[in-house]
Structures are given as C-alpha cells and as structure tokens.
Amino acid sequence: KTPKTSKVTGILVREDVAPLRSPVPRAPKEDPADDPKNGIRDRPQEPSATPRTVVINCANVGTVFCESRKQLYAAQLTETGGSKKGFMWEGVRRAFQYYESHGLKPQGVCKNRTAVLSPVPDDLKSRVIVCPVVDDQRDTDDLFTIRLAMRYGCQLVDNDNYRDWKHQENKRGTDDIIRDWLLGAGARLKVSYVFDRTGRFIPSVPPRD
C-alpha cells in the first residue's frame, strides 16, 4: 500500500506495518536443584557482605588466658595489660584474632571493674564495649553478653555456664525470655574454650560463618 502522511507528526507511515509491541517476558526455567524430587530442597545461600558477629566476654577470656599462662608470665602480669587480679588483654586479643581469621567480627563485652583495673588497650577499643555500673546488679557483663548474642543470633564465647541465669527466677536482670533462650537456641550457640600450652585459642565448636 501507498504510505500516507500522518496528520499529527507529518511523517510517512505504512498502514500495513503492525506497530511494535513489547515482548512478553518468559518465565525463568526451573532449576532442577529446586525440585524436591531430586533430593535437593535448598540452595546454598550467598555469603553475607557483612561479617557475622561473635560476642566475647572479655573478663572471662582474659582471666582464663592469664591462669593458663601464670607460670610463664608470673613476673610479667603488668607488662602485657594484666592486673593483680589475674587478667590479661592478650587472651582477648588472641580470641579476636582467631575469629577475625575466620571472617567473623568479634564484639567484646567488658565489665566496668575490669576496665578500671586494666584499661582497654588502644588496638582493642573499637571492638570492646565497657558495661555501665548498675546498682544492685552483679555480673552485668554476663547480662550484656547474653543480650547481644540474642540480638544478633550469634555465638557467645564464655566459660561461664550461666546456671544462675537459667534457673534462678529471683536473679536480677533475668526473665523468662532469657531463660528460654539460654535453654534453647542459646545452648547451641554457647562456646566454651581453652588456651593450649602455646597460648593458642581453641573453641569447643567451630565458628559459624
């Protein structure tokens, strides 16, 4: 057919040419890995861009490290960030290094009294929070260690078994939510540890990435 001039645009158009249409998107092909019949129900998740957190009780770790090193460092307690009470920041530092080497982000929790006797070293300050002083509240660092692990759903590193937090209903600071978590999900996230004869940090379970 003879092209005609459009009255609107003044451009020659052909009436026998169909207008362009947007292509209809096709549904993506199903991945066999998603078919339960193949025995595979879940794909591996992509790693998060943000490293997972691990909460570390500094007073506990520093004290355990000091006890394990007592014979070696008896004359050096005050030379490596230690106090007369038997605490060394070097133990916390080694625990941090262990988890960082596995791609995790350690969050240290330090009781106020410990920070007064042995100030947080400059290289650890950005990764350690010092607990406030709370009247009539003992073990404030335990409470915040638990609360942070509950908040992030992550492992908590502490050799304390938290028996009082689990079973003493009259303990200040605890409640049914904390008790249920410690006896349930928290029990699976709780990490005990040792320092071997070389001072290497060894957790009871591997890191969760």
Side-chain angles (χ1 to χ4, degrees), residues 8-114:
V8 178
T9 63
I11 299 174
L12 291 176
V13 296
R14 292 182 59 179
E15 295 180 345
D16 60 338
V17 178
L20 293 175
R21 295 181 180 179
S22 301
V24 178
R26 294 183 179 181
K29 294 182 179 180
E30 294 185 359
D31 191 327
D34 293 328
D35 190 348
K37 296 179 181 179
N38 293 331
I40 303 175
R41 297 182 180 274
D42 296 307
R43 293 186 187 182
Q45 297 297 313
E46 292 295 326
S48 173
T50 304
R52 284 188 63 85
T53 300
V54 56
V55 180
I56 298 176
N57 188 301
C58 296
N60 187 267
V61 172
T63 299
V64 171
F65 178 78
C66 186
E67 289 299 315
S68 71
R69 303 291 94 193
K70 185 169 289 184
Q71 292 182 349
L72 297 176
Y73 293 116
Q76 306 174 33
L77 282 178
T78 58
E79 295 180 14
T80 54
S83 71
K84 294 180 180 179
K85 295 293 184 180
F87 171 88
M88 299 177 70
W89 279 107
E90 180 60 25
V92 178
R93 186 177 289 109
R94 295 188 185 196
F96 280 16
Q97 290 171 349
Y98 171 85
Y99 283 105
E100 288 172 338
S101 71
H102 286 79
L104 277 73
K105 185 176 182 180
Q107 171 64 74
V109 178
C110 182
K111 65 172 57 178
N112 194 282
R113 181 62 175 169
T114 299

Side-chain angles (χ1 to χ4, degrees), residues 18-208:
L20 293 175
R21 295 181 180 179
S22 301
V24 178
R26 294 183 179 181
K29 294 182 179 180
E30 294 185 359
D31 191 327
D34 293 328
D35 190 348
K37 296 179 181 179
N38 293 331
I40 303 175
R41 297 182 180 274
D42 296 307
R43 293 186 187 182
Q45 297 297 313
E46 292 295 326
S48 173
T50 304
R52 284 188 63 85
T53 300
V54 56
V55 180
I56 298 176
N57 188 301
C58 296
N60 187 267
V61 172
T63 299
V64 171
F65 178 78
C66 186
E67 289 299 315
S68 71
R69 303 291 94 193
K70 185 169 289 184
Q71 292 182 349
L72 297 176
Y73 293 116
Q76 306 174 33
L77 282 178
T78 58
E79 295 180 14
T80 54
S83 71
K84 294 180 180 179
K85 295 293 184 180
F87 171 88
M88 299 177 70
W89 279 107
E90 180 60 25
V92 178
R93 186 177 289 109
R94 295 188 185 196
F96 280 16
Q97 290 171 349
Y98 171 85
Y99 283 105
E100 288 172 338
S101 71
H102 286 79
L104 277 73
K105 185 176 182 180
Q107 171 64 74
V109 178
C110 182
K111 65 172 57 178
N112 194 282
R113 181 62 175 169
T114 299
V116 170
L117 294 174
S118 184
V120 183
D122 290 340
D123 63 312
L124 299 180
K125 284 182 178 179
S126 64
R127 293 167 288 174
V128 173
I129 56 172
V130 177
C131 298
V133 175
V134 180
D135 292 340
D136 301 322
Q137 173 68 67
R138 296 186 59 191
D139 305 327
T140 306
D141 58 325
D142 287 352
L143 175 60
F144 283 108
T145 297
I146 295 167
R147 285 291 190 186
L148 281 168
M150 291 174 64
R151 170 65 179 82
Y152 292 112
C154 67
Q155 291 181 323
L156 62 163
V157 180
D158 193 340
N159 277 351
D160 189 333
N161 290 312
Y162 300 136
R163 292 189 184 94
D164 48 346
W165 295 95
K166 296 174 185 176
H167 305 298
Q168 293 182 14
E169 294 187 4
N170 62 345
K171 182 174 178 62
R172 182 178 174 86
T174 192
D175 54 29
D176 289 340
I177 295 175
I178 288 180
R179 282 190 289 270
D180 290 345
W181 186 83
L182 287 173
L183 294 169
R188 297 186 292 273
L189 295 171
K190 174 72 165 53
V191 180
S192 300
Y193 64 91
V194 296
F195 288 96
D196 68 11
R197 62 185 179 81
T198 68
R200 185 185 293 110
F201 175 82
I202 308 291
S204 59
V205 294
R208 286 186 56 185

